[in-house]
């Protein structure tokens, strides 16, 4: 099992390394195809390779035309099965954190919560792999306030580290009647303003935590990015007055997330390569936006 | 000490006069002696002209030069001022000199008057002196005294003294004004007696002008006595009451530059007059205060001295003041530079190098390079909800879509099943199966598929043709029995590359390793009977082998004998 995983990871890394060359070939093929279509002469730098590339163009079909990006290769088969999530906390969680994790369990469909006890992270991940979980989410806290979330995709997938800010849990709102119960239908997702490459990657990681919903569900989960702070909101809507009027009712916890690291291995693989890490002490950090506009 | 004779004094003066300048460079006892004598003589000669002075004669024995000088100063200051004033007055009004002459001619009268004046002056001096004692504003007071003296050219009567006393008693200016009004006529009469109205008016004008100058310059703190003296002067000068209105108007209305600062030709003159006429009150100016300060400084310095001595000029010019200011600032800055810096300026400072809790008091400023955490306000929530509503209305969500999976195994063949009832009975089906098992050749060939039949016929044809090419010879491959060496090596060692620490299981089967039967016992385990049995067995075996050998031997021998006999027989025959 271990060896299989190692092999798969190596394959993935190898294919990723080839990606550059693939991309180049694809670009050249595209140029040649364009030139042929428009009737223009083929650009001179492609004259040597033109013949074989043209042959390849003829043999291409829809799936092979566009080069596969292997960045999200971990999620290549993710859409075939519904995701299965495990939720835990750091060690010795306080009562508010336990409540928050309980809420999160209802937010993510198909999620299981376990007590952390004294387990080591590697143990948890091993058992998850053997039980066919697709994702593990770990929640950290500071004096009762949840302040960190680590989302790890399981076979050997990427791990995203988020910091949580401005957390408002359902338990904070004392009036139970006002807030009502939480719907557990598979939700629709709204991912707003994830425009850069890193944003696309983060969007993918967040998307694949949820299963394919029915088209007519009333439950909406929103991840809205604003200057690198992702706002999480949970609404249920009603279309009462007609097709154009929408009434939103907020349920569920709300928090801001701030991505600070993406690693290319699971949580336990501390030596894994970091895909991206936040640089707060860089001089131009203030000016730059990494996830969206 | 008795008064030295005038002659001795004159002689001393002459001696001093005659000494060469270089001789003054080195101190010599004789010179000092003569100097003292001369100064004593001069002092004595001047003494009568000053009515009241603390010293009747100059005390020179065992006195310091400073002390002698101060004695002289005490005597001469008022005198010098009065003389100066008179001279200036006469400069302006040469006519008065002529008036003076008859007075001089009168001699004693004038002298008496002069003495009176001097008395009054001395009174003023006394007042000034008292003030000096009280306020330590010696110079100013003296100046004021001098002013008073100067302006009392007309001479004061004792009435003035009384008036002064009354004014001293009085408190405010208003009282003084009232007194001025009362006394105006009196003074005018007296002045008219001495000089005549015109002269008096002119003088009053001048005095008013000079008074104003004095007022500007002088300290308001000079004291009531000063004010009193001013008021006295006012009385004399006739500023407010009576007199000629014209004159008054002239006095007050036509205040000109010249009145204050004098004519531009003689611009230098009024300035020294300025200085002399210090000590007046009323309008305060910065100059007043500065002069007071400077005079205060002077006074402080001179506190040690018994007498007042003018060491510094009281008034510093603006440039000098600026220079002083700058100097003090420079001193301050130099001192700051030499001192060790405050901890905030010292670069890297640990807690040990700064006072306790000092970092809390200082306003520390950090530059943060991260964007601040967004505060979730109503507007932010509103904008988010707007976005959500828009998306809902459009129906545009970012869900994942189920991708069609790749086929992992071949699709199962679905054979078309014939739904008709089978023609053959069950017995026939079993019969066919039996035939197939026993005699495959005889069994009728059955194919499930038409295509398969077709394919098989085609293949048979092909095979026939190929066989024909090889002349129907068929040589089967020879079966070579491999001689594989069975080594008694653990099985895992052969299969696996990695050595495994497992028990050594041999490749040979157990019966190949050991061929034996039954219950094998070790020697130790045998019982007595067993041993005996074994021994007997061994013996029997051995015997059997021996008998065999013997038998074979015997047989051979017999044969040999037979052969020999045969051969012998043969030979015999």
């Amino acid at each position: 099992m271990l060896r299989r995983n190692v092999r798969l990871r190596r394959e993935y890394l190898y294919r990723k390394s080839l990606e550059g060359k693939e991309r180049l070939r694809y670009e050249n093929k595209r140029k040649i195809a364009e030139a042929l279509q428009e009737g223009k002469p083929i650009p001179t730098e492609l004259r040597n390779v033109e013949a074989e590339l043209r042959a390849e163009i003829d043999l291409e079909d829809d799936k092979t035309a566009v080069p596969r990006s292997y960045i999200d290769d971990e999620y290549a088969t993710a859409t075939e099965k519904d995701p299965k999530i495990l939720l835990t906390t750091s060690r010795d969680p306080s009562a508010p954190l336990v409540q928050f994790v309980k809420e999160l369990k209802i937010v993510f469909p198909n999620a299981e919560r376990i007590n952390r006890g004294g387990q080591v992270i590697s143990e948890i991940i091993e058992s998850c792999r053997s039980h066919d979980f697709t994702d593990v989410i770990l929640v950290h806290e500071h004096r009762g306030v949840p302040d960190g979330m680590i989302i790890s995709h399981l076979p050997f997938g990427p791990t995203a580290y988020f910091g949580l800010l401005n957390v408002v849990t359902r338990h904070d709102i004392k009036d139970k009647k006002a807030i009502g119960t939480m719907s557990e239908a598979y939700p629709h997702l709204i991912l707003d303003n994830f425009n850069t490459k890193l944003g696309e990657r983060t969007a993918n990681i967040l998307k694949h935590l949820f299963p394919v919903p029915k088209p007519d569900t009333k439950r909406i989960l929103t991840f809205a990015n604003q200057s690198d702070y992702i706002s999480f909101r949970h609404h249920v809507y009603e279309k009462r007055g007609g097709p154009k009027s929408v009434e939103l009712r907020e349920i569920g916890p709300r928090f801001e997330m701030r991505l600070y690291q993406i690693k290319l291995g699971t949580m336990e693989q501390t030596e894994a390569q970091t895909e991206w890490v936040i640089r707060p002490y860089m001089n131009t950090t203030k000016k730059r936006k990494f996830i969206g506009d | 000490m008795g008064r030295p004779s005038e002659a001795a004094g004159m002689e001393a003066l002459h001696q001093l006069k005659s000494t060469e300048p270089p001789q003054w460079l080195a101190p010599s006892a004789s010179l000092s002696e003569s100097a003292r004598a001369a100064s004593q003589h001069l002092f004595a000669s001047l003494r009568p002209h000053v009515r009241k002075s603390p010293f009747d004669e100059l005390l020179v024995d065992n006195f310091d030069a400073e002390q002698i000088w101060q004695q002289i100063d005490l005597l001469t200051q008022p005198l010098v001022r009065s003389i100066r004033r008179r001279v200036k007055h006469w400069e302006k009004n040469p006519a008065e000199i002529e008036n003076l002459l008859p007075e001089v001619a009168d001699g004693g009268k004038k002298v008496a008057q002069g003495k009176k004046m001097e008395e009054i002056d001395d009174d003023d001096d006394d007042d000034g002196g008292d003030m000096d004692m009280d306020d330590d504003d010696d110079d100013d007071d003296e100046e004021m005294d001098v002013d008073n003296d100067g302006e009392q050219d007309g001479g004061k009567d004792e009435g003035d003294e009384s008036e002064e006393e009354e004014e001293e008693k009085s408190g405010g200016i208003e009282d003084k004004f009232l007194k001025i009004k009362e006394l105006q006529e009196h003074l005018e009469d007296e002045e008219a007696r001495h000089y005549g109205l015109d002269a008096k008016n002119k003088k009053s004008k001048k005095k008013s002008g000079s008074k104003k100058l004095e007022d500007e310059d002088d300290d308001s703190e000079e004291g009531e006595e000063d004010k009193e003296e001013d008021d006295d002067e006012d009385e004399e000068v006739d500023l407010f009451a009576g007199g000629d209105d014209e004159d008054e108007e002239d006095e007050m209305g036509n205040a000109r530059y010249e009145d204050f600062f004098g004519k531009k030709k003689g611009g230098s003159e009024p300035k020294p007059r300025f200085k002399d006429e210090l000590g007046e009150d009323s309008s305060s100016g910065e100059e007043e205060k500065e002069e007071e300060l400077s005079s205060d400084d002077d006074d402080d310095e001179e506190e040690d001295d018994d007498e007042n001595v003018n060491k510094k000029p009281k008034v510093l010019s603006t440039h000098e003041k600026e220079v002083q200011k700058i100097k003090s600032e420079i001193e301050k800055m130099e001192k700051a530079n030499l001192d060790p810096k405050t901890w905030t300026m010292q670069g890297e400072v640990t807690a040990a190098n700064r006072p306790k809790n000092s970092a809390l008091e200082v306003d520390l400023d950090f530059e943060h390079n991260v964007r601040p955490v967004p505060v979730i306000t109503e507007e932010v929530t509103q904008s988010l909800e707007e976005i959500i509503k828009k998306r809902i209305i459009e129906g545009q969500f970012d869900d994942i879509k189920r991708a069609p999976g790749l086929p992992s195994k071949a699709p199962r063949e679905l054979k078309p099943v014939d739904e008709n009832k089978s023609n053959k009975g069950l017995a026939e089906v079993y019969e066919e199966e039996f035939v197939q098992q026993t005699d495959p050749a005889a069994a009728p060939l059955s194919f499930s598929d038409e295509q398969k039949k077709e394919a098989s016929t085609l293949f048979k044809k092909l095979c026939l043709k190929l066989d024909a090419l090889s002349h129907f010879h068929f040589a089967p491959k020879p079966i070579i029995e491999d001689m594989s060496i069975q080594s008694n090596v653990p099985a895992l060692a052969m299969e696996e590359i990695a050595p495994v620490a497992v028990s050594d299981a041999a490749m040979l089967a157990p019966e190949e390793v050991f061929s034996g039967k039954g219950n094998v016992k070790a020697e130790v385990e045998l019982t007595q009977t067993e041993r005996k049995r074994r021994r007997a067995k061994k013996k029997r075996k051995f015997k059997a082998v021996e008998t065999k050998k013997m038998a074979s031997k015997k047989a051979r021998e017999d044969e040999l004998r037979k052969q020999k006999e045969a051969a012998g027989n043969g030979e015999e025959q």
Side-chain angles (χ1 to χ4, degrees):
Chain A
M1 180 74 173
L2 186 73
R3 275 199 281 178
R4 181 168 77 105
N5 286 335
V6 168
R7 174 177 55 87
L8 288 170
R9 197 160 136 234
R10 249 192 269 134
E11 278 176 19
Y12 161 73
L13 290 171
Y14 172 68
R15 268 187 263 129
K16 204 157 82 80
S17 70
L18 290 180
E19 198 189 6
K21 271 193 233 160
E22 278 288 324
R23 175 114 260 169
L24 195 63
R25 278 176 81 87
Y26 164 70
E27 287 293 316
N28 292 342
K29 276 190 236 175
R30 204 173 52 78
K31 277 190 211 162
I32 289 173
E34 262 180 38
L36 287 172
Q37 220 173 25
E38 291 173 11
K40 282 190 185 167
I42 296 167
T44 48
E45 63 267 18
L46 300 172
R47 260 184 293 169
N48 292 336
V49 297
E50 186 258 328
E52 56 174 298
L53 288 181
R54 190 144 44 90
E56 280 190 27
I57 291 170
D58 292 334
L59 293 169
E60 272 175 7
D61 66 349
D62 293 332
K63 285 197 179 165
T64 51
V66 181
R68 277 181 84 192
S69 161
Y70 291 102
I71 281 290
D72 278 328
D73 204 25
E74 301 109 331
Y75 294 105
T77 56
T79 52
E80 294 168 13
K81 271 198 328 181
D82 275 354
K84 201 169 162 199
I85 301 176
L86 185 83
L87 274 166
T88 37
T89 62
S90 49
R91 289 197 186 179
D92 277 334
S94 64
L97 181 66
V98 173
Q99 288 168 356
F100 180 65
V101 171
K102 247 200 272 180
E103 287 172 26
L104 280 186
K105 174 176 171 305
I106 310 173
V107 166
F108 294 109
N110 220 355
E112 280 300 317
R113 185 195 74 81
I114 62 166
N115 292 332
R116 177 64 188 274
Q119 295 160 355
V120 186
I121 294 260
S122 46
E123 287 174 15
I124 298 175
I125 297 209
E126 270 307 309
S127 61
C128 285
R129 275 210 200 100
S130 55
H131 283 91
D132 268 346
F133 278 88
T134 56
D135 292 275
V136 172
I137 299 184
L138 216 73
V139 186
H140 290 260
E141 66 157 341
H142 169 70
R143 302 201 77 186
V145 176
D147 77 338
M149 184 154 78
I150 308 175
I151 302 176
S152 202
H153 187 68
L154 258 196
F156 38 87
T159 312
Y161 295 79
F162 294 96
L164 300 179
L165 310 149
N166 294 342
V167 179
V168 178
T169 62
R170 277 165 64 92
H171 283 82
D172 291 345
I173 302 162
K174 301 294 178 187
D175 192 0
K176 292 227 169 134
K177 295 220 171 145
I179 199 139
T181 54
M182 213 197 288
S183 160
E184 288 194 53
Y186 290 179
H188 276 305
L189 291 176
I190 294 179
L191 291 155
D192 181 50
N193 197 13
F194 287 82
N195 294 333
T196 64
K197 281 214 148 196
L198 180 69
E200 296 285 349
R201 177 74 157 149
T202 320
N204 249 326
I205 293 174
L206 292 171
K207 255 201 253 185
H208 285 98
L209 292 169
F210 299 95
V212 182
K214 282 191 205 169
D216 57 346
T217 80
K218 300 273 183 228
R219 186 179 169 211
I220 309 268
L221 282 177
T222 312
F223 293 89
N225 170 39
Q226 176 93 33
S227 68
D228 289 353
Y229 286 95
I230 304 170
S231 308
F232 171 85
R233 298 287 183 273
H234 187 191
H235 293 274
V236 155
Y237 75 88
E238 265 186 358
K239 278 192 175 173
R240 225 181 265 168
K244 288 285 175 180
S245 74
V246 170
E247 269 180 38
L248 288 177
R249 188 165 67 88
E250 183 163 356
I251 54 172
R254 73 148 73 152
F255 46 86
E256 316 299 315
M257 299 159 58
R258 191 168 178 225
L259 177 72
Y260 65 85
Q261 200 177 52
I262 297 183
K263 280 206 170 211
L264 284 173
T266 54
M267 235 191 288
E268 42 148 24
Q269 292 163 350
T270 50
E271 72 288 346
Q273 188 187 1
T274 53
E275 184 177 330
W276 180 79
V277 71
I278 194 175
R279 303 266 174 218
Y281 297 107
M282 197 166 69
N283 281 340
T284 50
T285 317
K286 228 177 189 174
K287 302 181 207 165
R288 295 181 64 174
K289 300 200 177 168
F290 294 96
I291 296 183
D293 285 335
Chain B
M1 189 178 156
R3 230 200 220 197
S5 61
E6 292 200 16
M10 294 301 292
E11 193 195 315
L13 273 171
H14 284 303
Q15 190 192 356
L16 286 174
K17 196 177 158 193
S18 63
T19 49
E20 296 286 314
Q23 286 185 359
W24 288 102
L25 289 172
S28 69
S30 61
L31 273 176
S32 76
E33 274 291 326
S34 52
R36 281 170 203 243
S39 45
Q40 264 186 332
H41 166 72
L42 288 169
F43 192 93
S45 54
L46 281 174
R47 182 70 184 74
H49 297 283
V50 180
R51 191 200 166 239
K52 191 178 185 187
S53 95
F55 304 101
D56 288 334
E57 57 187 10
L58 188 66
L59 308 166
V60 291
D61 296 337
N62 298 327
F63 272 94
D64 209 3
E66 278 281 319
Q67 290 159 343
I68 297 171
W69 168 242
Q70 277 167 12
Q71 293 174 49
I72 294 169
D73 212 20
L74 258 184
L75 178 77
T76 53
Q77 273 287 336
L79 200 57
V80 161
R81 279 194 211 121
S82 66
I83 292 168
R84 216 183 268 169
R85 210 166 266 265
R86 284 196 209 179
V87 164
K88 276 175 190 155
H89 177 65
W90 289 328
E91 268 181 353
K92 291 213 168 175
N93 310 315
E96 290 183 12
I97 299 171
E98 295 168 8
N99 291 338
L100 197 58
L101 288 174
E103 293 173 358
V104 170
D106 288 343
K109 187 186 176 190
K110 196 58 187 168
V111 168
Q113 285 178 343
K115 277 201 177 170
K116 260 194 198 169
M117 282 165 60
E118 287 169 6
E119 283 178 16
I120 293 159
D121 295 343
D122 292 338
D123 287 334
D124 294 333
D125 288 340
D126 286 338
D127 295 335
D130 294 334
M131 283 165 6
D132 292 342
M133 298 305 173
D134 297 336
D135 302 340
D136 285 336
D137 290 336
D138 302 331
D139 297 337
D140 294 328
D141 292 331
E142 286 170 13
E143 287 171 5
M144 284 173 59
D145 294 337
V146 169
D147 294 344
N148 293 329
D149 296 335
E151 290 174 12
Q152 290 163 10
D153 288 340
K156 270 188 187 170
D157 291 339
E158 285 137 352
D160 291 341
E161 289 186 25
S162 66
E163 289 162 358
E164 287 175 25
E165 287 170 16
E166 290 175 15
E167 289 172 4
E168 285 179 15
K169 288 172 195 172
S170 71
I173 297 169
E174 294 172 358
D175 296 336
K176 291 174 192 170
F177 287 164
L178 288 171
K179 283 181 183 170
I180 292 165
K181 284 175 186 173
E182 289 175 15
L183 301 168
Q184 201 62 41
E185 297 162 11
H186 197 62
L187 288 172
E188 280 174 41
D189 294 336
E190 288 178 8
E191 284 182 358
R193 248 197 300 137
H194 288 289
Y195 295 112
L197 268 170
D198 295 329
K200 186 177 66 172
N201 287 341
K202 284 183 189 172
K203 191 182 68 176
S204 68
K205 235 201 254 176
K206 184 198 74 176
K207 277 182 196 169
S208 70
S210 63
K211 252 234 167 56
K212 279 174 191 167
L213 295 169
E214 292 160 9
D215 292 346
E216 290 172 11
D217 297 339
D218 301 341
D219 296 327
S220 53
E221 291 178 18
E222 282 308 308
E224 291 171 5
E225 291 94 343
D226 299 341
K227 282 188 182 177
E228 291 162 17
E229 291 165 347
D230 292 342
D231 293 330
D232 293 335
E233 295 163 353
D234 288 339
E235 293 164 20
E236 292 179 322
V237 170
D238 190 16
L239 279 172
F240 298 101
D244 295 334
D245 294 337
E246 295 176 356
D247 293 335
E248 283 183 7
E249 285 173 12
D250 290 339
E251 288 165 12
M252 299 307 291
N254 296 342
R256 293 273 152 90
Y257 182 88
E258 294 101 20
D259 297 330
F260 291 89
F261 298 103
K263 288 184 184 167
K264 287 177 188 178
K265 294 176 199 173
S268 58
E269 287 173 343
K271 279 179 193 171
R273 213 209 311 170
F274 247 124
K275 286 186 185 176
D276 296 338
E277 292 172 0
L278 285 173
E280 298 294 336
D281 59 343
S282 71
S283 63
S284 66
E286 291 179 2
E287 296 171 58
E288 287 182 9
K289 283 177 186 163
E290 282 173 10
E291 284 168 52
E292 190 202 12
L293 284 172
S294 63
S295 67
D296 280 333
D297 290 339
D298 297 341
D299 298 330
D300 290 335
E301 288 164 18
E302 294 166 357
E303 264 182 337
D304 298 335
D305 307 337
D306 296 335
E307 307 298 321
N308 300 327
V309 181
N310 253 351
K311 285 279 167 177
K312 289 189 203 176
K314 285 174 227 164
V315 180
L316 297 170
S317 67
T318 41
H319 176 259
E320 282 174 22
K321 284 173 205 155
E322 276 179 36
V323 165
Q324 258 190 3
K325 251 199 243 170
I326 290 172
K327 265 192 198 169
S328 66
E329 290 232 6
I330 290 171
E331 272 177 30
K332 261 193 240 166
M333 293 216 263
E334 281 177 356
K335 189 172 174 253
N337 270 348
L338 289 172
D339 287 341
K341 294 184 184 174
T342 58
W343 70 268
T344 48
M345 287 303 192
Q346 262 176 13
E348 285 193 14
V349 180
T350 59
N353 300 339
R354 54 178 165 81
K356 191 174 177 184
N357 288 340
S358 53
L360 296 171
E361 292 142 23
V362 174
D363 194 14
L364 296 170
D365 187 23
F366 298 96
E367 200 184 284
H368 298 278
N369 215 8
V370 288
R371 267 182 237 109
V373 180
V375 177
I376 302 301
T377 56
E378 273 294 317
E379 295 128 19
V380 175
T381 328
Q382 277 295 320
S383 61
L384 281 173
E385 292 197 350
E386 291 299 311
I387 296 169
I388 296 169
K389 282 183 188 170
K390 195 162 76 90
R391 288 285 202 105
I392 291 171
I393 291 169
E394 288 171 9
Q396 189 195 15
F397 302 112
D398 298 307
D399 312 322
I400 53 170
K401 284 147 189 139
R402 187 143 276 173
L406 293 167
S408 50
K409 45 186 174 177
R412 214 184 301 161
E413 289 179 3
L414 294 170
K415 300 175 198 171
V417 179
D418 200 12
E419 285 167 20
N420 301 329
K421 191 173 165 190
S422 142
N423 297 330
K424 291 192 236 172
L426 198 60
E428 288 168 2
V429 172
Y430 285 149
E431 183 195 338
E432 277 179 22
E433 272 191 33
F434 177 72
V435 164
Q436 224 174 19
Q437 277 176 0
T438 48
D439 192 9
L445 297 168
S446 61
F447 282 104
S448 53
D449 215 357
E450 281 287 323
Q451 282 182 337
K452 276 193 184 171
K453 272 189 201 165
E454 210 183 311
S456 66
T457 46
L458 280 171
F459 189 63
K460 272 189 185 159
K461 282 183 190 168
L462 183 67
C463 280
L464 184 69
K465 285 182 182 165
L466 288 172
D467 286 344
L469 283 173
S470 65
H471 298 289
F472 292 103
H473 279 298
F474 174 64
K477 258 190 185 166
I479 299 168
I480 307 166
E481 280 189 355
D482 279 295
M483 282 203 296
S484 61
I485 304 162
Q486 289 268 1
S487 56
N488 193 7
V489 166
L492 286 174
M494 295 294 281
E495 285 171 12
E496 295 292 320
I497 306 164
V500 178
V502 205
S503 64
D504 300 346
M507 282 206 67
L508 297 171
E511 52 267 24
E512 294 166 8
V513 175
F514 171 71
S515 57
K517 288 190 226 176
N519 203 5
V520 183
K521 275 192 182 178
E523 278 229 9
V524 209
E525 297 169 344
L526 293 170
T527 57
Q528 193 71 13
T529 49
E530 287 275 306
R531 276 203 205 102
K532 277 192 178 170
R533 203 181 290 141
R534 280 198 185 191
R535 185 172 162 74
K537 201 174 173 184
K538 209 182 350 178
K539 274 174 115 174
R540 260 181 270 138
K541 257 190 200 169
F542 184 68
K543 266 187 190 169
V545 168
E546 281 292 311
T547 47
K548 246 190 187 175
K549 258 193 200 169
M550 292 298 288
S552 64
K553 226 184 192 178
K554 230 183 186 182
R556 242 186 290 134
E557 278 178 21
D558 282 343
E559 260 195 72
L560 272 170
R561 238 186 312 123
K562 265 187 190 171
Q563 275 181 354
K564 262 185 194 174
E565 280 179 12
N569 286 346
E571 279 178 13
E572 282 176 6
Q573 287 175 359

